[in-house]
Amino acid sequence: GESVGLHLPTLSVQEGDNSIINCAYSNSASDYFIWYKQESGKGPQFIIDIRSNMDKRQGQRVTVLLNKTVKHLSLQIAATQPGDSAVYFCAENPDTGFQKLVFGTGTRLLVSP
Amino acid sequence: DAGVTQSPTHLIKTRGQQVTLRCSPKSGHDTVSWYQQALGQGPQFIFQYYEEEERQRGNFPDRFSGHQFPNYSSELNVNALLLGDSALYLCASSTWTGRGYTFGSGTRLTVV
């Protein structure tokens, strides 16, 4: 069935380090992927997205890499800050034409000052 | 410009009762999707509404139903509540042709 999973449930880093959060997806037909950040008591917040015809996309301090061969997605956060501490989810859109998202269970990022 | 607004923010219900959750989409959005997020899990898609019709549904029982109004706002109804229905219920709005999801802060439902 459809599933999006993450390799590490918790990632602890020092302020200023670069963080890498990984995600594996199972539906090879998925054409759109999104990374979300969720802070306690809030809804998921869009970070960055990527379409299946790309393998890399950069934003402000964040980069998403997509490897369709092994169905792997990663989020890189440069110069991680304490405000980056949150749970991060990857999500895929497995149905072209609809906007149903399949989420993984999330990775908690803890940033120490 | 207000984002996605959900109400109430928290509520407690007794097993067997019925509950209605509400969502007002972001201005300019006409599509509303509902998700259930259990503690420590990722959101799970319940269903999506567009033009006042349910367009797609996830793997949830018929106890979960919804409605969309002409002003694009939406309601999620859950009947015969179970303890396992305790979760954060998220509403996301978007345009039908676009891909930009915007989530609300959710309604925390506790069933006792």
Side-chain angles (χ1 to χ4, degrees):
Chain A
E2 299 164 346
S3 67
V4 176
L6 297 178
H7 299 308
L8 298 174
T10 302
L11 176 63
S12 296
V13 301
Q14 294 290 321
E15 181 178 2
D17 288 350
N18 296 329
S19 302
I20 299 176
I21 300 172
N22 296 302
C23 172
Y25 65 93
S26 61
N27 192 331
S28 58
S30 293
D31 67 343
Y32 182 59
F33 304 87
I34 309 173
W35 279 100
Y36 284 96
K37 172 186 180 183
Q38 188 173 26
E39 297 173 289
S40 181
K42 297 183 179 180
Q45 177 187 357
F46 174 92
I47 300 174
I48 191 168
D49 59 359
I50 189 168
R51 297 180 183 272
S52 59
N53 62 351
M54 304 172 67
D55 54 19
K56 180 179 181 179
R57 190 162 188 227
Q58 290 184 293
Q60 185 177 11
R61 284 200 306 118
V62 295
T63 301
V64 55
L65 299 177
L66 175 62
N67 185 330
K68 295 181 288 294
T69 302
V70 295
K71 292 186 287 188
H72 183 267
L73 198 66
S74 69
L75 175 69
Q76 300 177 359
I77 304 174
T80 313
Q81 302 168 359
D84 294 327
S85 294
V87 177
Y88 289 80
F89 294 96
C90 66
E92 62 179 314
N93 180 2
D95 299 314
T96 301
F98 289 95
Q99 296 178 51
K100 165 188 174 181
L101 295 179
V102 176
F103 285 79
T105 55
T107 292
R108 181 173 299 280
L109 177 64
L110 299 175
V111 183
S112 303
Chain B
D1 178 27
V4 179
T5 305
Q6 292 188 244
S7 64
T9 55
H10 298 83
L11 77 164
I12 300 173
K13 289 287 188 178
T14 302
R15 188 172 47 183
Q17 285 188 315
Q18 179 265 344
V19 69
T20 297
L21 311 182
R22 296 176 175 82
C23 172
S24 293
K26 184 177 179 180
S27 178
H29 287 178
D30 56 12
T31 302
V32 174
S33 302
W34 287 92
Y35 289 79
Q36 180 194 66
Q37 186 176 22
L39 194 62
Q41 301 292 321
Q44 298 290 313
F45 177 80
I46 303 175
F47 42 52
Q48 181 181 78
Y49 278 84
Y50 172 68
E51 292 186 331
E52 302 179 49
E53 292 187 9
E54 183 181 293
R55 298 291 176 165
Q56 195 173 18
R57 187 179 184 92
N59 188 27
F60 279 81
D62 292 343
R63 299 186 298 108
F64 290 77
S65 63
H67 189 77
Q68 185 180 34
F69 300 92
N71 67 352
Y72 310 122
S73 67
S74 178
E75 290 182 347
L76 165 66
N77 301 292
V78 187
N79 295 322
L81 284 166
L82 304 174
L83 297 180
D85 294 331
S86 296
L88 179 68
Y89 288 85
L90 294 162
C91 168
S93 74
S94 61
T95 63
W96 178 250
T97 57
R99 292 188 182 272
Y101 263 46
T102 303
F103 281 90
S105 293
T107 294
R108 172 69 64 186
L109 171 65
T110 302
V111 182
V112 298

